[in-house]
Amino acid sequence: MSRLAGLLRQSRPASEESRSIRLGERDLGYVLRRSPRRSFALQVDHRGVRVAVPWPATQAEIDSFIRSHHDWLLGKLAVRVPPAVMMVEDGALFPLLGEMCRMRLGQGGRSARWRLGADGVEELVLPDGPGARQALVRALRARALPWFGERVAEFCYRLGHAVPAVRLSSARTRWGSCSSRSGIRLHWRLIHLSPTLIDYVVAHEVAHLAEMNHSPRFWAVVDALYPDWKAARVRLRDAGRALPVIDGADAALIAED
C-alpha cells in the first residue's frame, strides 16, 4: 500500500454495516465497524455482536478472527440477557433531563400533557389504553426537539456559526450526527439525561460544523466549546447503559458519535 493510500484510509470516517457468518449450525449476524484503528476487537452485549476492524482488513481476515473466538462468542451469546422493557403504568418513574418524572394514566384526556404533581415532581399524564406507550414516546420526542434546538443555537453562537436544521434521530448506534447538507440530528433518548450530558453531545455535533472529522483540530474545537468533555464522555457511556427501554427497538446501547 502506498503512503498516500494509507493516509487517505486514515482520514476516512468510520463506517458500520450489518454482516453475517456461518458458525457451526447457525448463521450469526453482527455489526461490522471499519475505522482507522490498528487492531481487531469483538464485543457482545444486549445489542448483539459487534466486530471492529481496521480499514484494510479483508473479509477473509474478519471471518478468520470471528471463527478463532467461536467458543467464547457462543458462550457469551448463551448468557446474554436483553434489558427489560419499562412498564408503562400509573405511578411509574422515568428520568427526564436527569430528574425523576412520574407517569400518570387514566386521568382523562386523549392527548399527553405535562404538569407539576402535588409533591413537586413533574408528571406526564397519558391516555390510558393500548396506545399509552406510543403516546409516551411522542411526548418525549415533542419535549426533546425544542430543548435540543435551543442548545444547538447556544453552541453555534459560541462557535460563531449559523444555526443548522435540527432534527431528532432514532439511530441504533449514535447519539448524534452532523451533515453539512442535512444539519444536526440528535437521538430523542438524550432527553432522559442530565442537561450537562446533553450539552456535551450537542457541543460534539456542533464542533463538526467546523471540522467534519475526529482529528486533533476537531477535539480542540470540542475543548473550546465544552472544556470538561473527557469526563462527560465517560459519564455518557455509563448513563447510556441505564437508559429506560420504552420499546424493544430502543434496547441498543448507543455509541457517542
Side-chain angles (χ1 to χ4, degrees):
M1 181 195 307
S2 69
R3 182 180 179 185
L4 177 59
L7 290 173
L8 288 175
R9 281 184 169 173
Q10 289 177 7
S11 65
R12 294 168 66 183
S15 71
E16 291 189 349
E17 58 183 306
S18 297
R19 294 284 183 90
S20 65
I21 185 173
R22 187 74 175 178
L23 285 183
E25 298 300 318
R26 63 179 291 182
D27 289 319
L28 177 69
Y30 64 93
V31 173
L32 176 66
R33 178 179 175 86
R34 292 183 180 273
S35 71
R37 64 183 295 126
R38 296 182 177 180
S39 60
F40 288 64
L42 185 63
Q43 181 182 12
V44 180
D45 56 26
H46 60 263
R47 296 174 294 179
V49 179
R50 300 176 64 81
V51 182
V53 303
W55 272 114
T58 66
Q59 190 60 50
E61 291 171 332
I62 296 167
D63 290 348
S64 176
F65 171 71
I66 296 174
R67 290 194 172 99
S68 71
H69 293 81
H70 175 277
D71 293 340
W72 176 88
L73 184 56
L74 295 186
K76 285 289 187 180
L77 289 172
V79 299
R80 183 169 59 97
V81 178
V85 176
M86 185 181 78
M87 296 296 292
V88 177
E89 59 187 7
D90 188 57
L93 297 174
F94 62 92
L96 178 75
L97 295 170
E99 303 288 341
M100 281 296 109
C101 183
R102 184 183 296 118
M103 198 182 309
R104 287 300 188 194
L105 299 180
Q107 298 193 13
R110 295 184 178 181
S111 59
R113 68 183 190 277
W114 302 92
R115 72 182 186 190
L116 192 63
D119 57 357
V121 174
E122 188 170 10
E123 296 182 340
L124 174 58
V125 182
L126 297 169
D128 203 358
R133 191 175 296 275
Q134 290 75 18
L136 170 60
V137 173
R138 286 195 299 269
L140 290 172
R141 290 176 66 97
R143 184 75 175 262
L145 186 56
W147 180 280
F148 297 167
E150 290 180 4
R151 300 314 298 155
V152 169
E154 168 63 24
F155 281 100
C156 283
Y157 173 78
R158 299 182 194 180
L159 186 64
H161 197 285
V163 181
V166 180
R167 299 179 176 87
L168 297 180
S169 163
S170 297
R172 293 183 62 82
T173 59
R174 290 188 175 190
W175 286 118
S177 63
C178 179
S179 166
S180 58
R181 299 176 62 183
S182 59
I184 289 176
R185 293 180 180 270
L186 296 165
H187 204 295
W188 68 268
R189 294 176 77 198
L190 283 168
I191 197 63
H192 294 301
L193 304 182
S194 67
T196 55
L197 286 184
I198 296 174
D199 273 2
Y200 163 63
V201 179
V202 172
H204 186 115
E205 300 309 331
V206 168
H208 278 308
L209 296 172
E211 293 289 338
M212 287 289 185
N213 50 58
H214 286 101
S215 66
R217 287 182 302 184
F218 164 79
W219 290 111
V221 176
V222 174
D223 192 66
L225 293 174
Y226 194 103
D228 196 32
W229 66 269
K230 290 182 180 179
R233 196 179 189 188
V234 174
R235 295 199 308 271
L236 182 62
R237 293 191 186 114
D238 293 336
R241 296 186 181 95
L243 282 177
V245 178
I246 300 174
D247 188 295
D250 296 327
L253 182 63
I254 306 169
E256 174 201 331
D257 184 85

